[in-house]
Amino acid sequence: MTAALFTSTALRLNPSDLYEFQDAETGATQARLIEAARVRSPRGTFLTPDQVQTPRLTFALRAPDGSTLMYADRAEHLKLNPVAPQMAFIGPDGTVLGRVEYDSHSTFQGGGRILGTTEQGLNLSPAARLLDANAQPLADLVFEQPPNLDRPTLPDGRDARTVRWIAPNGAHLAERRNGDLHIDNRVTGVWRALIIGSYLAAAFEFHLPIANGDPTETPPEIYPGFTNVHTAYDDFQHGFVEEYSTPTRTRASSAVFRPGVQRAHLEHLYKLIFPVAVAIAAIVLIIRFIT
């Protein structure tokens, strides 16, 4: 991997165009994100709610000469899943390089640890995990997080929190400071590509720069193996949402719903009742008009 994107000492996403990677020191364009696919699972029917919050989004990272450096493939996100979906990183030939996922460090999976605090009183909190092609941990993304869980921003709107990429042996691989990514010069090859990809994933966590356009329900073949890249994760996410939607019991109540569940049920109920109510009202008006 000799493209400028993989050899630059510091990178940033252009604050005014999040589809552009720049050299943080010179401002030169290193790569652009080109949306290659927007896919979603089948929509809900009249009786079943539509569960999809955002569709699966696949971006091609293209060098200034137009060549594809790799793909960043973000899984579909379901409405009742409070955890950001995984993003996979794929070589131009369809080889899975690795993934970044948020579930391992979510409070729903036993996460939410605080490793320590900085001199400024910020909590060091692992928030995401970078995995290799075999799902083995390469690094944790450790955020400097305000204790009140705020997300401070820079004047240009980017996330101001510092993020450190820490390997399982404690090695410091990279750091995001003031929105810019700085990678240790000893990090090369696929590892460097995965850190750049996970930097992108962290920036896009929930706030995606989605252009206009409707997703398709028929997956295209963007690269070999495209259809099945997120199969295991999709199964996990649907299982999690099913469990999350199930009410829990407390001493005070036999049915306590988690945040967002009741609202989703009410919205679906409204969709069911509203057209029926309109139809009944129309029939009543017709009868009154006739009689």
Side-chain angles (χ1 to χ4, degrees), residues 136-158:
Q136 297 302 305
L138 290 179
D140 282 334
L141 279 67
V142 180
F143 283 65
E144 292 187 3
Q145 179 67 54
N148 62 4
L149 302 182
D150 276 354
R151 295 194 175 198
T153 58
L154 299 169
D156 57 28
R158 290 182 297 165

Side-chain angles (χ1 to χ4, degrees), residues 5 13 17-21 29-38 56-74 87 200 204 209-211 222-223 226:
L5 179 69
L13 284 169
D17 181 4
L18 293 178
Y19 284 94
E20 180 184 58
F21 269 101
T29 300
Q30 305 297 300
R32 285 198 61 82
L33 291 168
I34 305 297
E35 187 177 315
R38 186 183 302 199
R56 174 182 177 182
L57 288 166
T58 306
F59 296 96
L61 272 74
R62 290 188 180 161
D65 63 6
S67 60
T68 297
L69 303 174
M70 68 175 180
Y71 294 96
D73 195 329
R74 186 181 189 270
M87 182 179 280
L200 173 68
F204 282 7
I210 303 176
I222 302 300
Y223 51 77
F226 175 85

Side-chain angles (χ1 to χ4, degrees), residues 4-242:
L5 179 69
F6 301 126
T7 58
S8 179
T9 57
L11 293 166
R12 71 158 57 104
L13 284 169
N14 184 349
S16 61
D17 181 4
L18 293 178
Y19 284 94
E20 180 184 58
F21 269 101
Q22 295 178 326
D23 184 290
E25 296 175 352
T26 67
T29 300
Q30 305 297 300
R32 285 198 61 82
L33 291 168
I34 305 297
E35 187 177 315
R38 186 183 302 199
V39 183
R40 56 156 296 147
S41 54
R43 288 172 171 78
T45 65
F46 178 72
L47 296 177
T48 59
D50 186 355
Q51 298 187 61
V52 177
Q53 178 70 35
T54 55
R56 174 182 177 182
L57 288 166
T58 306
F59 296 96
L61 272 74
R62 290 188 180 161
D65 63 6
S67 60
T68 297
L69 303 174
M70 68 175 180
Y71 294 96
D73 195 329
R74 186 181 189 270
E76 180 178 81
H77 188 211
L78 300 184
K79 289 180 179 177
L80 288 178
N81 186 1
V83 183
Q86 75 168 9
M87 182 179 280
F89 310 109
I90 317 295
D93 61 353
T95 300
V96 177
L97 306 177
R99 308 168 193 267
V100 64
E101 55 89 8
Y102 300 86
D103 292 283
S104 294
H105 289 304
S106 75
T107 55
F108 302 97
Q109 303 296 331
R113 295 179 299 134
I114 296 176
L115 303 181
T117 57
T118 67
E119 293 180 356
Q120 294 74 32
L122 301 173
N123 293 333
L124 296 174
S125 303
R129 177 163 289 170
L130 185 59
L131 307 173
D132 67 13
N134 298 313
Q136 297 302 305
L138 290 179
D140 282 334
L141 279 67
V142 180
F143 283 65
E144 292 187 3
Q145 179 67 54
N148 62 4
L149 302 182
D150 276 354
R151 295 194 175 198
T153 58
L154 299 169
D156 57 28
R158 290 182 297 165
D159 192 336
R161 294 174 298 172
T162 296
V163 184
R164 304 172 185 175
W165 279 253
I166 307 297
N169 64 1
H172 188 155
L173 306 177
E175 184 171 292
R176 185 184 76 184
R177 298 191 305 272
N178 296 319
D180 297 344
L181 176 65
H182 303 267
I183 307 177
D184 191 298
N185 289 331
R186 293 169 294 182
V187 178
T188 59
V190 172
W191 281 53
R192 200 172 188 88
L194 290 176
I195 289 175
I196 293 170
S198 56
Y199 165 73
L200 173 68
F204 282 7
E205 184 180 2
F206 282 112
H207 310 287
L208 299 172
I210 303 176
N212 294 326
D214 294 324
T216 178
E217 296 181 8
T218 304
E221 190 70 4
I222 302 300
Y223 51 77
F226 175 85
T227 302
N228 299 318
V229 162
H230 294 299
T231 299
Y233 174 77
D234 289 339
D235 291 342
F236 165 81
Q237 183 176 204
H238 278 86
F240 172 81
V241 167
E242 183 177 350

